[in-house]
Amino acid sequence: MGRVNVRDGFWVLLAALWCVDEDNLLPLFLTAALVHEAGHAAALYLAGGRLRQLTLTACGAVMQAALPCGRFACAAVSLAGPAAGFALTIAARACGGWRLAGASALLSLFNLLPLPPLDGGMALAYLSDGGFPRVRGVLAALSGATLLLCGLLCLRNDGGCWVLLTGTAICISALRMKKCSEICVF
């Protein structure tokens, strides 16, 4: 692997989450995220790709990679993170770690939304081989709008602003995203 970069926004978000984490959920989500990223890295390695750089940002981990050949291999790498997360969910639940299982399941389901740069959106782009751009665009727009609406509902019902902030960051990232073959966000 090449370099690991940590952006200032990652530290700011981590500090903010730590300050508001009254239920001690942050370590659970960080564990789930680590397993998720390890799933991507393992699939990338097994498919013959190479990880060039890992960057931790306020929006998540961004992997720059020399991708394997073939759209199915690229889709498999995209879906390996949620698959590893679901495996963690099953293992944690079997061991009585209900909170870790819930955090991992939530992170995995969120990442399967068909909204680039999330895993579901990336896998859909790879599997369609770049085709059906309007269909993928509509799915992404609906996913982004649903995420923002859920965030507004949470904010309105005293559920906090985190879903709205996350949805906004993901939608902005989707608008700024480069070609799938250049940068993969896992």
Side-chain angles (χ1 to χ4, degrees):
M1 183 172 96
R3 295 180 40 187
V4 175
N5 291 324
V6 182
R7 299 256 173 94
D8 292 341
F10 174 81
W11 295 117
V12 170
L13 180 62
L14 193 62
L17 290 172
W18 181 62
C19 288
V20 298
D21 184 20
E22 296 175 0
D23 297 321
N24 204 25
L25 294 174
L26 186 59
L28 301 173
F29 277 97
L30 289 175
T31 300
L34 181 64
V35 169
H36 178 97
E37 298 306 326
H40 287 304
L44 181 66
Y45 175 77
L46 291 172
R50 186 174 55 84
L51 185 59
R52 291 183 184 149
Q53 182 173 330
L54 174 68
T55 304
L56 300 177
T57 71
C59 294
V62 179
M63 291 183 170
Q64 282 188 319
L67 296 173
C69 295
R71 61 187 177 137
F72 294 110
C74 289
V77 171
S78 292
L79 295 174
F86 287 128
L88 175 62
T89 298
I90 293 167
R93 185 169 178 233
C95 295
W98 293 98
R99 290 170 37 132
L100 177 58
S104 185
L106 184 63
L107 182 68
S108 297
L109 288 171
F110 173 77
N111 272 285
L112 286 176
L113 288 173
L115 176 65
L118 298 176
D119 299 329
M122 298 300 293
L124 192 59
Y126 289 127
L127 290 173
S128 68
D129 202 20
F132 309 104
R134 286 194 177 124
V135 172
R136 289 186 293 116
V138 167
L139 284 173
L142 288 173
S143 296
T146 301
L147 196 54
L148 292 174
L149 180 63
C150 288
L152 288 172
L153 289 173
C154 285
L155 186 63
R156 181 173 177 235
N157 295 318
D158 296 326
C161 64
W162 295 106
V163 175
L164 181 60
L165 290 174
T166 301
T168 302
I170 293 296
C171 289
I172 289 170
S173 183
L175 292 172
R176 296 177 60 192
M177 194 171 146
K178 297 180 182 182
K179 287 175 51 179
C180 295
S181 61
E182 292 176 7
I183 296 178
C184 286
V185 180
F186 295 115

